[in-house]
Amino acid sequence: MFESLKAKMKSLFSRAEKKIDEKAVYKEGPDAPQVEPPKVETPEVPKVETPKVEVPEVRTEVPKVETPEIPKVETPAVEPVKPVEPPKVEVPKVPETPAPKVETPAEPPKKLSRKEQLKLEKQKKSGGEASKLLNNDFLSKRIKEDPLDEILDELEIILLEADVAYPVAEEIKSGVRENLVGKKYDRSYTLEQVVELSVKDAVRDVLKINEFDFDEWLDGREKPTVIMFVGINGTGKTTAIAKLTNRIQKQDKTVVLAACDTFRAGAIEQLGIHADKLGCKIVKQDHGADPAAVAFDAIEHAKSKRKDVVFIDTAGRMQTNNNLIEEMKKIVRVAKPDLKIFVGDSLAGNDAIEQAKVFDNAIGIDAVILTKIDTDAKGGAALSIAHTIGKPIAFVCNGQEYDDIIKFNTDWMIDRMFEE
């Protein structure tokens, strides 16, 4: 069988040795002859049948093993154990005490300085008398510096003659100049009239801010109201106390006088004479006694007798005396006055201002009474003190009689200062 297969393969390879035209075979294009590959006859391979081998089936039977049944054991039902509740112990209720409300004190309003008050007041105002003369009309006349300075120099002399302190007069002058330079005013008025009205407006602004209504203040106070008076000897302090006592008594109020000027024996006698004339109670001790103790006794007497007001008269040594200042501080600590009034001489000029500044720095002045306003003075001290320390003028004394005390009025003071 294999020999015949070899012979056929040789004849097949012998035929394939003929030359083949490569160009004819690999010619491209449609004209190329299509050469069919020669058919190669593959000899049939006889099928070899493999004999079937029968494998006998081997069955292995596993013997069944019977497992004995396990009898069921019934467990008795166990009831759940109930938790043992502890015995209730009643706690007595403590009454709730509300926590006390702590009220935080409101912050006190910030105290404005005198210049801040002036600025605020000017902002509130639409303008003074001088502003009515100023306008921006086409026919208005512009204010120039040279003629303005000449008029202001003359008005400064007027202020100085009215006992206005020089620094105060200078400040008013510079303020008026700053407000008027470059502005226009109505030609129907003179420049002198415009400047004079502007100066009066500046003075009025200072005095208006410091106005103080003593009567209204006193009506709203608890009894007894304690008022302390300080000042230098010779200013009329004791007389001013007597005048104010007479004024209050006419309003159906009772007064107790405290003679705390124990440094000068004549002061105790002088205040006693006024007390006898006015018919009011005076509390006093011997010469050289402790002034603070006298003030304390007077206040306690007023409380027990339900008096309305206590006036404390103090020593009047020079403000440069350190013992005097310490004495004033001690009286303030013991008596705790509701109002501290400085009594100044309107003729003292700059000295009155210095006195007021020293007392204000030591104990804090609340108001001012000016005496001897009926003399040649025009009241410039009121403007100077109000401008310098920023304290209100409560009263002015214009005579020696008990009724010669008047409540301070700004317009009256301005007319007095600028009268010819």
Side-chain angles (χ1 to χ4, degrees):
M1 181 180 63
F2 288 103
E3 293 294 330
S4 60
L5 179 62
K6 289 181 180 180
K8 290 181 180 181
M9 293 296 293
K10 286 181 179 181
S11 62
L12 178 64
F13 286 118
S14 62
R15 294 176 185 175
E17 289 179 358
K18 295 180 179 180
K19 294 182 179 180
I20 300 173
D21 190 359
E22 294 180 0
K23 294 181 180 180
V25 174
Y26 295 101
K27 184 178 180 180
E28 296 179 357
D31 297 334
Q34 294 180 356
V35 180
E36 294 181 357
K39 295 181 180 179
V40 179
E41 295 180 358
T42 56
E44 292 182 359
V45 179
K47 296 181 179 180
V48 180
E49 294 181 359
T50 57
K52 294 181 181 180
V53 180
E54 294 181 358
V55 179
E57 295 181 357
V58 179
R59 295 180 178 179
T60 57
E61 294 181 357
V62 179
K64 295 181 180 180
V65 180
E66 295 181 356
T67 57
E69 294 182 358
I70 300 171
K72 295 181 180 181
V73 179
E74 295 181 357
T75 58
V78 180
E79 297 181 357
V81 180
K82 296 181 179 180
V84 180
E85 297 181 357
K88 295 182 179 180
V89 179
E90 295 183 358
V91 180
K93 293 183 179 180
V94 180
E96 296 181 358
T97 56
K101 295 182 180 179
V102 180
E103 296 182 357
T104 55
E107 294 183 359
K110 184 180 179 182
K111 187 176 181 181
L112 299 177
S113 63
R114 181 189 56 78
K115 290 186 178 180
E116 291 175 340
Q117 289 177 339
L118 284 174
K119 186 176 180 181
L120 182 62
E121 190 69 18
K122 287 181 180 179
Q123 291 176 353
K124 291 180 180 180
K125 287 187 175 183
S126 59
E129 295 294 331
S131 64
K132 298 177 182 178
L133 308 183
L134 300 176
N135 54 56
N136 292 320
D137 293 342
F138 178 73
L139 298 177
S140 300
K141 190 174 182 180
R142 188 177 298 276
I143 299 175
K144 298 181 180 180
E145 294 187 16
D146 293 339
L148 177 62
D149 289 338
E150 293 179 3
I151 299 173
L152 286 175
D153 290 339
E154 295 177 0
L155 283 173
E156 184 180 11
I157 295 174
I158 295 175
L159 292 174
L160 294 175
E161 290 177 348
D163 293 330
V164 177
Y166 179 75
V168 178
E170 278 291 316
E171 188 170 344
I172 291 176
K173 174 185 172 182
S174 61
V176 172
R177 185 181 186 278
E178 184 179 352
N179 291 335
L180 293 183
V181 169
K183 300 291 180 63
K184 292 183 178 181
Y185 66 96
D186 195 334
R187 289 178 179 269
S188 59
Y189 299 92
T190 63
L191 181 58
E192 288 80 359
Q193 290 175 323
V194 176
V195 175
E196 183 177 352
L197 287 177
S198 181
V199 172
K200 288 182 178 180
D201 287 342
V203 173
R204 184 177 289 104
D205 289 342
V206 175
L207 297 177
K208 280 283 187 182
I209 291 175
N210 295 290
E211 282 186 345
F212 174 65
D213 192 337
F214 177 83
D215 298 329
E216 182 179 355
W217 174 86
L218 185 60
D219 290 338
R221 304 297 303 183
E222 295 182 359
K223 300 177 183 180
T225 304
V226 181
I227 301 175
M228 179 178 174
F229 295 82
V230 297
I232 304 304
N233 285 335
T235 58
K237 175 166 50 67
T238 304
T239 305
I241 294 173
K243 291 179 179 180
L244 195 56
T245 300
N246 177 66
R247 190 175 188 275
I248 290 177
Q249 286 180 338
K250 289 183 177 180
Q251 299 175 359
D252 297 329
K253 291 183 175 64
T254 54
V255 180
V256 176
L257 301 180
C260 295
D261 186 0
T262 59
F263 179 76
R264 186 171 60 93
I268 301 175
E269 296 177 1
Q270 183 182 0
L271 190 64
I273 293 172
H274 288 304
D276 293 338
K277 290 182 178 179
L278 296 170
C280 64
K281 175 66 176 179
I282 179 172
V283 176
K284 58 185 178 179
Q285 292 185 13
D286 296 335
H287 171 67
D290 185 3
V294 178
F296 179 81
D297 292 342
I299 296 172
E300 290 300 316
H301 174 80
K303 290 180 180 179
S304 62
K305 300 298 181 181
R306 299 183 182 276
K307 302 294 183 179
D308 297 319
V309 184
V310 177
F311 283 163
I312 300 176
D313 185 17
T314 61
R317 286 164 285 175
M318 290 301 295
Q319 74 274 12
T320 55
N321 191 311
N322 292 331
N323 293 334
L324 170 66
I325 298 302
E326 293 302 321
E327 186 178 288
M328 298 299 106
K329 292 180 179 179
K330 183 178 180 181
I331 296 175
V332 170
R333 289 195 301 269
V334 173
K336 296 179 176 58
D338 300 293
L339 188 71
K340 297 180 286 291
I341 297 179
F342 169 75
V343 181
D345 189 346
S346 59
L347 294 174
N350 291 334
D351 195 23
I353 300 172
E354 292 301 321
Q355 294 169 12
K357 288 171 63 177
V358 171
F359 282 108
D360 185 44
N361 293 333
I363 62 172
I365 296 172
D366 300 311
V368 178
I369 292 180
L370 286 178
T371 61
K372 305 176 185 179
I373 201 72
D374 56 316
T375 57
D376 294 336
K378 293 185 177 181
L383 175 63
S384 300
I385 293 175
H387 189 279
T388 304
I389 65 176
K391 305 301 179 181
I393 311 299
F395 296 96
V396 292
C397 298
N398 59 344
Q400 297 299 320
E401 302 297 328
Y402 287 144
D403 292 331
D404 293 336
I405 182 172
I406 58 176
K407 188 181 294 186
F408 181 78
N409 182 274
T410 299
D411 294 329
W412 172 81
M413 182 60 68
I414 290 176
D415 294 339
R416 183 181 179 87
M417 289 175 61
F418 289 95
E419 68 181 5
E420 297 180 357

